[in-house]
Amino acid sequence: MQNVADYKTQDIRNIALVGHGHSGKTTLADLLLFKAGVNSRAGSVDDGSSLLDTDDEEKERKSSITSSVCHLTHHGKRINIVDTPGYPDFLGQVAGALEAVETAAIIVNASAGVEVNTRRTFDMAGEFGLGRIIILNRLGQENIDFDRDLAELQDVFGGQCLPINIPNKVGSGFSSVIKVLEPSGPGVVDPSSFTDELRDCIVEADDELMERYMETLELTPDEFRAGIPKAVAAGTLIPIFCVSGKRDIGVTELLDGMAALCPSPADIPREAADGTAIKADPDGPLVAQVFKTRIDPFVARMNYVRVFSGTLKRDTTVNDVSTGKPVKIGALNELQGNQLTSVPEAIPGDIVAAVKVDGLHTSDSLGELKMKPINFPKPMVGWAVEPKTSSDQQKISGALAKIVEEDQTFLVTREEQTHEMVVHGMSELHLQILMERVQKRDKVNIAHHAPKIPYREACTGDGEGS
């Protein structure tokens, strides 16, 4: 695996896997790691061996609850992948992940089409100003209608959604993908039918390329491919990759596409909160932001940091722009799921974990410029909670404070009139899972019920008396 000295910012690709639940995000991430040589076998969500779904709650439910960071190297490119949960209950994890990347890979289950959280995460990525790609997964299942899926994607997300490759067949006959720019055989549809539209979307983002194309109409496939990262960054093209993660078809082509076609940190414009443009320059002023906090029972507190400018070095003191206080950065680590490896520094585009840094919180900015606060969804559901025993009474505040640090969509309030402690989350499922985490991690047993409603009497009219 590469060390920080082995690659430059232009070689980094930061990609968040987002989409609806059970569309195959984590399975695909585990397979990408295996194909890149990170693991000797592909991890599995089903048998609990996934490198990314490591929490007990995730293994029990066979579904992601928090975002996880991993990395791999392919064709000389350092690819950082942030795998995110697929259910709306955990959208806060998605929001943090999108702040740390340049590309959102929207995973779509071909048998289900565009689902609720597919739309929501696609729109969120657009609001963050990110490049987007679509991964049409599970094309090896029966009863797949590729024409229907493609028509739905273009109808919902726009005509700039165009396939980079197409399946040779769908269902049990799916065995390979055909490149649209360089078709090598027949596919489930005619690949040449997309060629002109694909070329037009690519050159639309590059005036020089468009001028050459209009003059000659004879650019090579390599020249078109070289223009795709700029088109993805500008949003004139949203490439569709055809894949079956379970059957390992199209995954190598997807990995090639992530390395060659996704924008680098230098390709997506970034601005500080005051509108100052941020350049991805390792020699520039330090600008970094915490996009996630995790309280690990073994490692203790970890802040996940994305560097946008300058170089963040271990064993240095930097300014927390959000609080105006200095913070001491001790150890820096790159992440492979829940595995940490020490690194000396992080350059623009790097994602690292700072360990045991007091006073550093999610959304805080480090260095010389303040980034915009991350826009997390607002909690929607409330439970009144109380400790079950006197020993739980002594630990409940600290245990809930850890959850508040980890999850920006979780809130704890004390109602003045009813004197109840009320926890707020995205849904009852969200709160249930978080209370289970408190019980398992901090050994605090909590009872809950619907919050009491404080009633207030008020004068509604005039009265007379003698």
Side-chain angles (χ1 to χ4, degrees), residues 8-77:
K8 298 180 180 179
T9 293
Q10 291 79 1
D11 299 323
I12 298 175
R13 304 291 182 265
N14 291 314
I15 301 170
L17 303 183
V18 301
H20 198 77
H22 294 292
S23 56
K25 297 182 295 297
T26 304
T27 296
L28 192 57
D30 277 314
L31 186 54
L32 290 169
L33 291 169
F34 166 67
K35 295 187 80 66
V38 174
N39 286 343
S40 59
R41 62 182 289 263
S44 170
V45 173
D46 294 333
D47 66 14
S49 64
S50 170
L51 185 68
L52 301 173
D53 281 355
T54 57
D55 287 351
D56 291 339
E57 297 94 337
E58 293 176 320
K59 291 182 179 180
E60 289 174 8
R61 297 174 182 275
K62 301 187 188 307
S63 180
S64 300
I65 294 172
T66 65
S67 60
S68 297
V69 178
C70 60
H71 63 274
L72 57 89
T73 303
H74 186 68
H75 289 173
K77 299 297 188 288

Side-chain angles (χ1 to χ4, degrees), residues 389-411:
T389 68
S390 57
S391 62
D392 295 325
Q393 174 74 48
Q394 298 172 0
K395 297 185 291 185
I396 187 171
S397 295
L400 293 178
K402 291 180 184 178
I403 301 295
V404 170
E405 282 287 338
E406 291 180 308
D407 193 331
Q408 303 303 300
T409 61
F410 179 77
L411 179 67

